[in-house]
Amino acid sequence: VCLTVVLGQQGAWLQAMAQAVAYYVQAHGEFLEMGMDGCAAQVLQEGLDAYPASAELRKLAGLPEPIDTLEGDSLAQIEGGCARVTRSPSRLVELLPMEVSGEQFWPEVRSRSLHAMLLERGGLMRITSAFPNEVAEVALQTLQSEAGWNLSTSETVDYGTNEGIQHTYYSYLGSGVDDIKKRLHTLAPELFPGFQAARYEKSSLIAPHDDSQLFHIQISDENRSQRFPAGTVMYRKIACIYYLTKDWREEYGGSLMDLHDQDCPRHLVPTFNTIVCFLVPRVHEVQELAEGCPPRHSIFGWFSDEVPYLPLSKHGAEFSTMVARQTK
């Protein structure tokens, strides 16, 4: 299988891959230590689905090493933007469907956790009819009538030394959609939330990246708390996008492209009153919006905690701001 390296530069993609594989290995070990063998098997299967040639993951699963691999010395075998891998047909556990209705989702997430539900679905899930329809209608009308939008581009969004990221959209940080933000916070109340409203117009896009980033909680952040006080260093762990645009068409662009499994990318067209959540890091992009398309409204953000990513010295630099910030 010839895989196109979607990140534009091979080195950045390989760094993101190494960090992601290390995440699966660490999560697998932690679940085993807690006696949660089922979850350990699920996270290992997720890793194998995304990185079937990983010698480290295959060893944990008791699978033979692949003939061709993207690890160690074999990284030098990448030529012409393609790499050869071997996919194993075996599965350790059967993952649950990616899509779930809001009616099914809310009782389950309140009794368990968003992180656990994501692991069972391969790290990504889509929640349809997420909130009562009248709530979504009010939120959309609010965003359509608001005047306090500010242009946000790759020059104003801090991506550290990563010049490969392009991100262009209009941001709204006002209080008009605070009700929706509070509802989104209940997805993972044990984590630190950070959300904003966004409006994408023609030519708006987000280039491929994996969302991993560290930041400090600011004294002005209204979400700071006794557990997460100002000054705490935080790490993004779960990304969420709440779509608030009606009758969106694929030809408009603006779709979320899930690039986590490089030989089987997923194309997620925005759907009104739908939430998409995924574990971070996960490589993805937002397609450029076409000329003449209507504005695309959403509320997006991340849930974070204070647990660091795996050491950069051991696993390589994440495709994020981590290198720039940790070396200052």
Side-chain angles (χ1 to χ4, degrees), residues 138-139 141-143 145-150 171-183 185 195-197 222 299:
V138 170
Q141 293 169 13
T142 299
L143 293 182
S145 61
E146 280 292 345
W149 294 93
N150 296 302
S171 173
Y172 170 67
L173 299 173
S175 60
V177 288
D178 279 359
D179 175 61
I180 290 293
K181 290 182 182 179
K182 291 176 181 177
R183 291 173 184 265
H185 293 179
F195 287 87
Q196 62 178 295
E222 61 183 13
I299 298 174

Side-chain angles (χ1 to χ4, degrees), residues 2-318:
C2 184
L3 306 183
T4 301
V5 179
V6 296
L7 299 183
Q9 52 178 339
Q10 296 171 356
W13 183 88
L14 293 172
Q15 290 171 349
M17 182 197 72
Q19 197 273 342
V21 167
Y23 160 79
Y24 290 121
V25 172
Q26 181 186 41
H28 176 264
E30 290 176 351
F31 279 131
L32 289 179
E33 290 178 2
M34 292 185 289
M36 302 173 66
D37 292 0
C39 289
Q42 288 165 355
V43 76
L44 181 55
Q45 183 62 61
E46 178 196 342
L48 285 169
D49 285 345
Y51 303 101
S54 167
E56 193 168 6
L57 292 174
R58 294 176 70 87
K59 183 178 179 180
L60 287 175
L63 299 173
E65 291 190 10
I67 298 174
D68 299 304
T69 180
L70 289 177
E71 295 192 350
D73 297 336
S74 299
L75 295 180
Q77 297 174 5
I78 292 180
E79 297 176 357
C82 292
R84 295 192 59 80
V85 301
T86 300
R87 177 173 291 281
S88 169
S90 64
R91 295 190 60 84
L92 300 176
V93 295
E94 192 66 32
L95 296 175
L96 296 178
M98 176 190 73
E99 190 163 298
V100 59
S101 69
E103 183 180 11
Q104 175 188 349
F105 171 78
W106 288 108
E108 185 173 354
V109 78
R110 286 167 181 154
S111 64
R112 303 177 61 212
S113 74
L114 179 60
H115 187 268
M117 293 183 68
L118 284 166
L119 285 176
E120 293 171 344
R121 290 163 174 84
L124 181 147
M125 67 185 305
R126 178 163 54 189
I127 304 130
T128 60
S129 300
F131 299 122
N133 195 65
E134 59 272 19
V135 172
E137 291 281 0
V138 170
L140 175 57
Q141 293 169 13
T142 299
L143 293 182
Q144 289 174 330
S145 61
E146 280 292 345
W149 294 93
N150 296 302
L151 179 65
S152 181
T153 70
S154 55
E155 286 73 36
T156 58
V157 174
D158 181 11
Y159 284 111
T161 59
N162 185 3
E163 298 177 357
I165 291 288
Q166 291 178 273
H167 193 180
T168 305
Y169 68 104
Y170 287 89
S171 173
Y172 170 67
L173 299 173
S175 60
V177 288
D178 279 359
D179 175 61
I180 290 293
K181 290 182 182 179
K182 291 176 181 177
R183 291 173 184 265
L184 289 170
H185 293 179
T186 65
L187 287 166
E190 74 280 7
L191 300 177
F192 182 84
F195 287 87
Q196 62 178 295
R199 187 182 75 215
Y200 289 79
E201 298 182 351
K202 65 178 182 179
S203 301
S204 296
L205 56 81
I206 314 178
H209 63 296
D210 71 7
D211 267 9
S212 59
Q213 186 181 36
L214 63 83
F215 63 95
H216 292 80
I217 298 177
Q218 301 299 308
I219 188 66
S220 59
D221 197 317
E222 61 183 13
N223 294 315
R224 72 185 190 282
S225 63
Q226 184 174 357
R227 179 185 173 187
F228 299 122
T232 305
V233 179
M234 306 294 289
Y235 302 80
R236 293 176 180 173
K237 298 298 173 63
I238 299 175
C240 293
I241 310 160
Y242 177 51
Y243 292 108
L244 279 169
T245 298
K246 292 184 175 181
D247 304 319
W248 195 260
R249 301 177 183 174
E250 185 174 340
E251 57 263 32
Y252 290 159
S255 294
L256 176 69
M257 294 297 295
D258 176 36
L259 306 173
H260 192 64
D261 188 345
Q262 287 78 35
D263 63 347
C264 188
R266 282 192 276 195
H267 188 179
L268 304 177
V269 178
T271 304
F272 182 68
N273 196 20
T274 293
I275 300 173
V276 172
C277 299
F278 56 87
L279 296 175
V280 174
R282 191 179 188 95
V283 181
H284 63 284
E285 67 178 333
V286 174
Q287 293 180 318
E288 183 174 0
L289 271 68
E291 184 76 27
C293 72
R296 199 209 77 176
H297 293 94
S298 64
I299 298 174
F300 75 93
W302 298 270
F303 290 105
S304 307
D305 65 19
E306 70 277 35
V307 180
Y309 297 117
L310 294 171
L312 294 174
S313 59
K314 181 177 181 181
H315 297 292
E318 285 79 2

